[in-house]
Amino acid sequence: MAWTEAKLIAEAILEGFERHYRLFREISEGAQARFEVADWPAVQRAARERIGFYDTRVGETVALLRREFHLRDPGDILWRRIKVEYLRLLPQLNQPELAETFYNSVFCRLFDRHYYNNSYIFVWPLISTEHLEAQVPIFRPYYPARDGFTRVIFRILRDMGFKRPFRDLRCDIRCLLLAIRTRFPTNRAIHQNFQLAVLCSPFYRNKGAYIIGKAINGADQLPFAIPILNDERNGLYIDSLLTGSDEISDVFSFSRAYFMVDTEAPAAVVDFLRPLMPRKGKAELYTAIGLQKFGKAEFYRDFLKHLRYSSDDFVVAPGIRGMVMCVFTQPSFPFVFKVIKDRFPPPKDMTPEGVKEKYQLVKMHDRVGRMADSWEYSHVAFPLERFSPDLRDLLESECAGSIELIGDQLIIKHLYIERRMSPLNLYLHGADDEDVRHAIREYGDAIKQLAAANIFPGDFLFKNFGVTRRGRVVFYDYDELCYLTECNFRDIPEAPYPEMEMSDEPWYTPGPNDVFPEEFETFLLTDPRIRKVFLELHSELLDPAWWRERQEHIRAGHLEDVFPYPAELRFREERTDCPKSMEMVGAG
């Protein structure tokens, strides 16, 4: 009887997963239609809705199990049998690794963390996914040496299945050919295996579609991406050619929204992507294609391995300590851990729940490459001996309600994990003039691009921004973040008496949502070097009229373009002299 019940429960959990993944694929496959009709509000809605699919399906499955079965304490042998029965069902799937994670989520929703070990859940994966790339073809090969680049490019575009026509395909192919000659290595011999391997499905995000592939020549692999845009009037067009790991990594950045892509066998897609971006782990790539729950599980496995093969302590993160979060790191691990403090000193006027809501807003919103994504965890066990004395004192004094000591473990009840960056204030302190100029250009561009996405950071202090390995400035302190359209941007009123301008206290009274951009200069631009560069590059950020104009754009429904690649890589100049006709070699 117990085995029969275990089998029924296992099947019920798997049915919950299959329903989840069916709906996940349906909304992801719909990205092509939304892109081709340029329904950008629908694109944003679908991105938000898909993020919530997983938790909804887990909740439905938990409710079903509680309703249909008499669930006993997991200490009973039943749950060990359920795991065995569930494991027997996984080889039939093309997403077994995701199904394991779904099982874990259901179990952890039902029971206490005391049982979070490999006897009851899949702490470590048990089903291999290595066979899936051969079983489910996920890329197509093309042979330029045999067929010519023009014919190959045409076939790649045709095979992507776009229904909306290209507005000027001949011009697009000419621009792409010119970029290939410029950007692909020309001083290397062509080997017998020379080919382009291209993923079968485009990657959709915001207002763009991306064809992802790699050029294979001998032992070399050169990754590339071809961004496709929709001009909303005359059709599609190729906007650029991106090559090399760094440019592709920027497109897949942790600070950008998740892609929509058809992934029958996600492990095979990730295995294809990993050599293209060797600095990104599986966790980041699964997350980039919208499978953030598995990315979170895979990241935790990487973290456990790192703990085992490292000996350095967790320490307080460098930089100015925040008023809302305690932040710590492990020097050998390129991430930071953020715990919400129990209490916030004035002038902070919010609750821990309010902080969580801000992080959820960032998760659901388009991050336009300027806000760091976070993995959110509950009841994480750390080895107590690995915490430095200063860090332990900090957590016990500031976050006592979020930690628990059990034996030799320190349990953190709720935390966020983000990729570590150099705090902008520390970066500027040691920067030369050239680096200051680059960082301030990036800083102002970050604020402008966030404004384009209807995000107002709230606190513009440099300590709230980080600098990535590639020199990109990213915002990561969300407690004062809000929608730009919620703000009231005001000019500073004229002082009633001239001497009031010299007073330490303002002569005007701000309302709850009032923002005075002219004040930014006072607290941001105290360093003459920074002031000079900022006023040269971004003086409009001090003008209330500029902010009000951004608000009107947003309220009018205008969705601005924010490109995940430099403007100089776009094909704008090449298009101006495109011929009216061009012979299409092999167009049939």
Coordinates of all heavy atoms in Angstrom, one line a residue, residues 179-246:
A179 N 30.4 43.3 -42.1 CA 30.8 43.1 -40.7 C 31.6 41.8 -40.5 O 32.6 41.7 -39.7 CB 29.6 43.1 -39.8
I180 N 31.2 40.8 -41.2 CA 32.0 39.5 -41.1 C 33.4 39.7 -41.6 O 34.3 39.2 -41.0 CB 31.2 38.4 -41.9 CG1 29.9 38.0 -41.2 CG2 32.1 37.2 -42.1 CD1 29.0 37.1 -42.1
R181 N 33.6 40.4 -42.7 CA 34.9 40.6 -43.2 C 35.8 41.4 -42.2 O 37.0 41.2 -42.1 CB 34.9 41.3 -44.6 CG 34.2 40.5 -45.7 CD 34.4 41.2 -47.0 NE 33.6 40.6 -48.1 CZ 32.5 41.1 -48.6 NH1 32.1 42.3 -48.2 NH2 31.9 40.5 -49.5
T182 N 35.1 42.3 -41.5 CA 35.8 43.2 -40.6 C 36.1 42.5 -39.3 O 37.2 42.6 -38.7 CB 35.0 44.4 -40.3 OG1 34.7 45.1 -41.5 CG2 35.7 45.4 -39.3
R183 N 35.2 41.6 -38.8 CA 35.3 41.2 -37.4 C 35.7 39.7 -37.3 O 36.1 39.3 -36.2 CB 33.9 41.4 -36.7 CG 33.4 42.8 -36.9 CD 32.4 43.2 -35.8 NE 33.1 43.3 -34.6 CZ 32.6 43.2 -33.4 NH1 31.3 43.0 -33.3 NH2 33.3 43.3 -32.3
F184 N 35.5 38.9 -38.3 CA 36.0 37.5 -38.2 C 37.5 37.5 -38.6 O 38.0 38.2 -39.4 CB 35.2 36.6 -39.2 CG 33.9 36.1 -38.6 CD1 33.0 37.0 -38.0 CD2 33.6 34.8 -38.7 CE1 31.9 36.5 -37.5 CE2 32.4 34.3 -38.2 CZ 31.5 35.2 -37.5
P185 N 38.3 36.6 -37.9 CA 39.7 36.5 -38.2 C 39.9 36.2 -39.7 O 39.3 35.3 -40.2 CB 40.2 35.4 -37.3 CG 39.2 35.3 -36.2 CD 37.9 35.7 -36.8
T186 N 40.8 36.9 -40.3 CA 41.1 36.7 -41.8 C 42.5 36.1 -42.0 O 42.8 35.8 -43.2 CB 41.0 38.1 -42.5 OG1 41.9 39.0 -41.9 CG2 39.6 38.7 -42.4
N187 N 43.3 36.0 -41.0 CA 44.6 35.5 -41.2 C 44.8 34.0 -40.8 O 45.9 33.6 -40.6 CB 45.6 36.4 -40.4 CG 45.3 36.3 -38.9 OD1 44.2 35.9 -38.5 ND2 46.3 36.8 -38.1
R188 N 43.7 33.3 -40.7 CA 43.8 31.9 -40.3 C 43.3 31.0 -41.5 O 42.4 31.4 -42.2 CB 43.0 31.6 -39.1 CG 43.4 32.4 -37.9 CD 42.6 32.0 -36.6 NE 43.1 32.8 -35.5 CZ 42.5 32.7 -34.3 NH1 41.5 31.9 -34.1 NH2 43.0 33.5 -33.3
A189 N 44.0 29.9 -41.6 CA 43.6 28.9 -42.7 C 42.2 28.4 -42.4 O 41.8 28.2 -41.2 CB 44.6 27.8 -42.7
I190 N 41.5 28.1 -43.4 CA 40.2 27.5 -43.3 C 40.3 26.0 -43.2 O 40.9 25.3 -44.1 CB 39.3 27.8 -44.6 CG1 39.1 29.3 -44.7 CG2 37.9 27.1 -44.4 CD1 38.4 29.9 -43.5
H191 N 39.9 25.4 -42.1 CA 40.0 24.0 -41.8 C 38.8 23.2 -42.5 O 37.8 23.8 -42.8 CB 40.1 23.7 -40.3 CG 41.4 24.2 -39.7 ND1 42.4 23.4 -39.5 CD2 41.7 25.4 -39.3 CE1 43.4 24.1 -38.9 NE2 43.0 25.3 -38.8
Q192 N 39.0 21.9 -42.6 CA 38.0 21.1 -43.2 C 36.6 21.2 -42.5 O 35.6 21.0 -43.1 CB 38.4 19.6 -43.3 CG 39.5 19.4 -44.4 CD 39.8 17.9 -44.5 OE1 39.7 17.2 -43.5 NE2 40.1 17.5 -45.7
N193 N 36.7 21.4 -41.1 CA 35.5 21.4 -40.4 C 34.8 22.8 -40.2 O 33.9 23.0 -39.4 CB 35.7 20.8 -39.0 CG 36.6 21.8 -38.1 OD1 37.3 22.6 -38.6 ND2 36.4 21.7 -36.8
F194 N 35.3 23.8 -41.0 CA 34.8 25.1 -40.9 C 33.3 25.1 -41.1 O 32.7 24.7 -42.2 CB 35.4 26.0 -41.9 CG 34.9 27.5 -41.9 CD1 35.0 28.2 -40.7 CD2 34.4 28.0 -43.1 CE1 34.5 29.5 -40.7 CE2 33.9 29.3 -43.1 CZ 34.0 30.1 -41.9
Q195 N 32.5 25.7 -40.1 CA 31.1 25.7 -40.2 C 30.5 26.8 -39.2 O 31.3 27.2 -38.3 CB 30.5 24.4 -39.9 CG 30.8 23.9 -38.5 CD 30.2 22.5 -38.2 OE1 29.0 22.4 -37.9 NE2 31.1 21.5 -38.3
L196 N 29.3 27.1 -39.4 CA 28.6 27.9 -38.5 C 27.5 27.1 -37.8 O 26.7 26.5 -38.5 CB 27.9 29.1 -39.2 CG 28.8 30.1 -40.0 CD1 27.9 31.2 -40.6 CD2 29.9 30.6 -39.2
A197 N 27.6 26.9 -36.5 CA 26.6 26.2 -35.8 C 25.6 27.2 -35.1 O 26.1 28.1 -34.3 CB 27.2 25.3 -34.7
V198 N 24.4 27.2 -35.5 CA 23.4 28.2 -35.0 C 22.2 27.5 -34.3 O 21.6 26.6 -34.8 CB 22.9 29.0 -36.3 CG1 21.9 30.1 -35.8 CG2 24.0 29.6 -37.0
L199 N 21.9 28.1 -33.1 CA 20.8 27.5 -32.4 C 19.5 27.7 -33.2 O 19.3 28.7 -33.8 CB 20.7 28.3 -31.0 CG 21.7 27.9 -30.0 CD1 21.7 28.8 -28.8 CD2 21.5 26.4 -29.5
C200 N 18.6 26.7 -33.1 CA 17.5 26.7 -34.0 C 16.5 27.8 -33.7 O 15.8 28.2 -34.6 CB 16.8 25.3 -33.8 SG 17.8 23.9 -34.4
S201 N 16.4 28.2 -32.4 CA 15.3 29.1 -32.0 C 16.0 30.5 -31.7 O 17.0 30.5 -31.0 CB 14.6 28.6 -30.8 OG 13.9 27.4 -31.1
P202 N 15.4 31.6 -32.2 CA 15.9 32.9 -31.7 C 15.6 33.1 -30.3 O 14.7 32.6 -29.7 CB 15.1 33.9 -32.6 CG 14.5 33.1 -33.7 CD 14.3 31.7 -33.1
F203 N 16.4 34.0 -29.7 CA 16.3 34.4 -28.3 C 15.6 35.8 -28.3 O 16.1 36.8 -28.9 CB 17.6 34.6 -27.6 CG 18.3 33.2 -27.3 CD1 18.4 32.2 -28.2 CD2 18.7 33.0 -26.0 CE1 19.0 31.0 -27.9 CE2 19.3 31.8 -25.6 CZ 19.4 30.8 -26.6
Y204 N 14.4 35.9 -27.6 CA 13.7 37.2 -27.6 C 13.8 37.9 -26.3 O 13.7 37.2 -25.2 CB 12.2 36.9 -27.9 CG 12.0 36.4 -29.3 CD1 11.9 35.0 -29.6 CD2 11.8 37.2 -30.4 CE1 11.7 34.5 -30.8 CE2 11.5 36.8 -31.7 CZ 11.5 35.4 -31.9 OH 11.3 34.9 -33.2
R205 N 13.9 39.2 -26.3 CA 13.9 40.0 -25.1 C 13.6 41.4 -25.5 O 14.2 42.0 -26.4 CB 15.2 39.9 -24.4 CG 15.2 40.7 -23.0 CD 16.5 40.5 -22.3 NE 17.6 41.1 -23.0 CZ 18.9 40.7 -22.9 NH1 19.2 39.8 -22.1 NH2 19.8 41.3 -23.6
N206 N 12.6 42.0 -24.7 CA 12.2 43.4 -25.0 C 11.9 43.6 -26.5 O 11.0 42.9 -27.0 CB 13.3 44.3 -24.5 CG 13.5 44.3 -23.0 OD1 12.6 43.9 -22.3 ND2 14.7 44.7 -22.6
K207 N 12.5 44.5 -27.2 CA 12.2 44.8 -28.5 C 13.1 44.1 -29.5 O 13.1 44.5 -30.7 CB 12.2 46.3 -28.7 CG 11.2 47.0 -27.9 CD 11.4 48.5 -27.8 CE 11.0 49.2 -29.1 NZ 11.0 50.7 -29.0
G208 N 13.9 43.1 -29.1 CA 14.8 42.5 -30.0 C 14.7 41.0 -30.0 O 14.2 40.3 -29.1
A209 N 15.2 40.4 -31.2 CA 15.4 39.0 -31.3 C 16.9 38.7 -31.6 O 17.5 39.6 -32.3 CB 14.5 38.4 -32.4
Y210 N 17.4 37.7 -31.1 CA 18.9 37.4 -31.3 C 19.1 36.0 -31.8 O 18.6 35.0 -31.3 CB 19.6 37.6 -29.9 CG 19.5 38.9 -29.3 CD1 18.4 39.3 -28.6 CD2 20.5 39.9 -29.5 CE1 18.2 40.6 -28.0 CE2 20.4 41.1 -28.9 CZ 19.2 41.5 -28.2 OH 19.1 42.7 -27.7
I211 N 19.8 36.0 -32.9 CA 20.3 34.7 -33.4 C 21.6 34.4 -32.8 O 22.6 35.2 -32.9 CB 20.4 34.7 -35.0 CG1 19.0 35.0 -35.6 CG2 21.0 33.4 -35.5 CD1 19.0 35.3 -37.1
I212 N 21.8 33.2 -32.2 CA 23.0 32.9 -31.4 C 23.7 31.7 -32.1 O 23.0 30.7 -32.4 CB 22.6 32.5 -30.0 CG1 21.8 33.6 -29.3 CG2 23.9 32.3 -29.2 CD1 22.5 34.9 -29.1
G213 N 25.0 31.8 -32.3 CA 25.7 30.7 -32.9 C 27.2 30.8 -32.6 O 27.7 31.7 -31.8
K214 N 27.9 30.0 -33.3 CA 29.4 30.0 -33.2 C 30.0 29.5 -34.5 O 29.4 28.7 -35.2 CB 29.9 29.1 -32.0 CG 29.4 27.6 -32.2 CD 29.8 26.8 -30.9 CE 29.3 25.4 -31.0 NZ 29.6 24.6 -29.8
A215 N 31.1 30.2 -34.9 CA 31.9 29.8 -36.0 C 32.9 28.8 -35.5 O 33.7 29.0 -34.6 CB 32.5 31.0 -36.7
I216 N 33.0 27.6 -36.1 CA 33.9 26.5 -35.8 C 34.9 26.4 -36.9 O 34.6 26.2 -38.0 CB 33.2 25.2 -35.5 CG1 32.1 25.4 -34.5 CG2 34.1 24.1 -35.2 CD1 31.1 24.2 -34.3
N217 N 36.2 26.5 -36.5 CA 37.3 26.3 -37.5 C 38.4 25.7 -36.8 O 39.1 26.2 -36.0 CB 37.7 27.7 -38.0 CG 38.7 27.6 -39.2 OD1 38.5 26.7 -40.0 ND2 39.6 28.5 -39.3
G218 N 38.6 24.4 -37.2 CA 39.7 23.6 -36.5 C 39.3 23.5 -35.0 O 38.1 23.1 -34.7
A219 N 40.2 23.8 -34.1 CA 39.9 23.8 -32.7 C 39.3 25.1 -32.1 O 39.0 25.1 -31.0 CB 41.1 23.4 -31.9
D220 N 39.2 26.1 -33.0 CA 38.7 27.4 -32.5 C 37.2 27.5 -32.7 O 36.6 27.0 -33.6 CB 39.3 28.5 -33.4 CG 40.8 28.6 -33.2 OD1 41.3 28.2 -32.1 OD2 41.5 29.0 -34.1
Q221 N 36.6 28.2 -31.7 CA 35.2 28.5 -31.7 C 35.0 30.0 -31.5 O 35.5 30.5 -30.5 CB 34.4 27.7 -30.7 CG 34.4 26.2 -30.9 CD 33.4 25.5 -30.0 OE1 32.7 26.1 -29.3 NE2 33.5 24.2 -30.0
L222 N 34.4 30.7 -32.4 CA 34.1 32.1 -32.2 C 32.6 32.4 -32.1 O 31.8 32.1 -33.0 CB 34.6 32.9 -33.4 CG 34.4 34.4 -33.4 CD1 35.2 35.1 -32.3 CD2 34.7 35.1 -34.7
P223 N 32.2 32.8 -30.9 CA 30.7 33.0 -30.7 C 30.3 34.3 -31.4 O 31.0 35.2 -31.6 CB 30.6 33.2 -29.2 CG 32.0 33.6 -28.7 CD 32.9 33.0 -29.7
F224 N 29.0 34.2 -31.8 CA 28.5 35.4 -32.5 C 27.0 35.5 -32.2 O 26.3 34.5 -31.8 CB 28.7 35.4 -34.0 CG 28.0 34.4 -34.8 CD1 26.7 34.5 -35.2 CD2 28.7 33.2 -35.1 CE1 26.1 33.5 -35.9 CE2 28.0 32.2 -35.8 CZ 26.7 32.3 -36.2
A225 N 26.4 36.7 -32.3 CA 25.0 37.0 -32.1 C 24.6 38.0 -33.2 O 25.3 38.9 -33.5 CB 24.7 37.5 -30.7
I226 N 23.4 37.8 -33.8 CA 22.9 38.7 -34.8 C 21.6 39.3 -34.2 O 20.6 38.6 -34.1 CB 22.6 38.0 -36.1 CG1 23.9 37.3 -36.6 CG2 22.1 38.9 -37.1 CD1 23.7 36.4 -37.8
P227 N 21.6 40.5 -33.8 CA 20.4 41.1 -33.3 C 19.4 41.5 -34.4 O 19.9 42.1 -35.4 CB 20.9 42.4 -32.5 CG 22.3 42.2 -32.4 CD 22.8 41.4 -33.6
I228 N 18.2 41.2 -34.3 CA 17.1 41.5 -35.3 C 16.1 42.4 -34.6 O 15.7 42.2 -33.5 CB 16.4 40.2 -35.7 CG1 17.4 39.1 -36.2 CG2 15.4 40.6 -36.9 CD1 18.1 39.4 -37.4
L229 N 15.8 43.5 -35.2 CA 14.8 44.5 -34.7 C 13.6 44.6 -35.6 O 13.7 44.2 -36.8 CB 15.5 45.9 -34.5 CG 16.7 45.9 -33.5 CD1 17.2 47.3 -33.3 CD2 16.4 45.3 -32.2
N230 N 12.6 45.2 -35.1 CA 11.3 45.5 -35.9 C 11.1 47.0 -35.9 O 11.0 47.6 -34.8 CB 10.2 44.8 -35.2 CG 8.9 44.9 -35.9 OD1 8.7 45.7 -36.8 ND2 7.9 44.0 -35.6
D231 N 11.1 47.6 -37.1 CA 10.9 49.0 -37.2 C 9.5 49.5 -37.0 O 9.2 50.7 -37.1 CB 11.5 49.6 -38.5 CG 10.7 49.3 -39.7 OD1 9.6 48.6 -39.6 OD2 11.1 49.7 -40.8
E232 N 8.6 48.5 -36.8 CA 7.1 48.8 -36.5 C 6.4 49.3 -37.7 O 5.2 49.5 -37.6 CB 7.0 49.7 -35.3 CG 7.7 49.2 -34.0 CD 7.5 50.1 -32.8 OE1 6.5 50.8 -32.8 OE2 8.4 50.2 -32.0
R233 N 7.0 49.5 -38.8 CA 6.3 50.0 -40.0 C 6.6 49.1 -41.2 O 5.7 48.6 -41.8 CB 6.8 51.4 -40.3 CG 6.5 52.4 -39.2 CD 6.9 53.8 -39.7 NE 8.4 53.9 -40.0 CZ 9.3 54.0 -39.1 NH1 9.0 54.1 -37.8 NH2 10.6 54.0 -39.4
N234 N 7.9 49.0 -41.6 CA 8.2 48.3 -42.9 C 8.7 46.9 -42.7 O 8.9 46.2 -43.7 CB 9.2 49.2 -43.6 CG 8.7 50.5 -43.9 OD1 7.6 50.7 -44.4 ND2 9.6 51.6 -43.7
G235 N 9.0 46.5 -41.5 CA 9.5 45.1 -41.3 C 10.7 45.0 -40.4 O 11.0 45.9 -39.7
L236 N 11.3 43.8 -40.5 CA 12.4 43.5 -39.6 C 13.7 43.9 -40.3 O 13.8 44.1 -41.5 CB 12.5 42.0 -39.4 CG 11.2 41.2 -38.9 CD1 11.5 39.8 -38.7 CD2 10.7 41.9 -37.7
Y237 N 14.8 44.1 -39.5 CA 16.1 44.4 -40.0 C 17.2 43.9 -39.1 O 16.9 43.8 -37.8 CB 16.2 45.9 -40.3 CG 16.2 46.8 -39.1 CD1 17.3 47.2 -38.4 CD2 14.9 47.2 -38.6 CE1 17.3 48.1 -37.3 CE2 14.9 48.1 -37.5 CZ 16.1 48.5 -36.9 OH 16.0 49.3 -35.8
I238 N 18.3 43.6 -39.6 CA 19.5 43.2 -38.8 C 20.2 44.5 -38.3 O 20.5 45.4 -39.1 CB 20.5 42.4 -39.7 CG1 19.8 41.1 -40.1 CG2 21.7 42.1 -38.9 CD1 20.6 40.3 -41.1
D239 N 20.4 44.5 -37.0 CA 20.9 45.8 -36.5 C 22.4 45.7 -36.2 O 23.1 46.8 -36.2 CB 20.2 46.0 -35.1 CG 20.5 47.5 -34.6 OD1 20.2 48.4 -35.3 OD2 21.0 47.6 -33.5
S240 N 23.0 44.5 -36.1 CA 24.4 44.5 -35.7 C 25.0 43.0 -35.9 O 24.2 42.1 -36.2 CB 24.7 45.0 -34.3 OG 26.0 45.0 -34.0
L241 N 26.2 42.9 -35.7 CA 26.9 41.6 -35.5 C 27.8 41.7 -34.3 O 28.6 42.5 -34.2 CB 27.7 41.2 -36.8 CG 28.6 40.0 -36.6 CD1 27.7 38.7 -36.5 CD2 29.6 39.8 -37.8
L242 N 27.5 40.8 -33.3 CA 28.3 40.8 -32.1 C 29.2 39.5 -32.2 O 28.7 38.5 -32.5 CB 27.4 40.8 -30.9 CG 26.3 41.8 -30.8 CD1 25.4 41.6 -29.6 CD2 26.8 43.2 -30.9
T243 N 30.4 39.7 -31.8 CA 31.4 38.6 -31.8 C 32.2 38.5 -30.6 O 32.5 39.6 -29.9 CB 32.3 38.6 -33.1 OG1 33.0 39.8 -33.0 CG2 31.5 38.5 -34.3
G244 N 32.7 37.3 -30.2 CA 33.5 37.2 -29.1 C 32.8 37.0 -27.8 O 31.6 37.4 -27.6
S245 N 33.4 36.4 -26.8 CA 32.8 36.1 -25.5 C 32.3 37.3 -24.8 O 31.3 37.3 -24.2 CB 33.8 35.3 -24.6 OG 34.1 34.0 -25.2
D246 N 33.1 38.4 -24.8 CA 32.7 39.6 -24.0 C 31.5 40.2 -24.5 O 30.5 40.6 -23.8 CB 33.9 40.6 -24.0 CG 35.0 40.2 -23.0 OD1 34.8 39.3 -22.2 OD2 36.1 40.7 -23.2

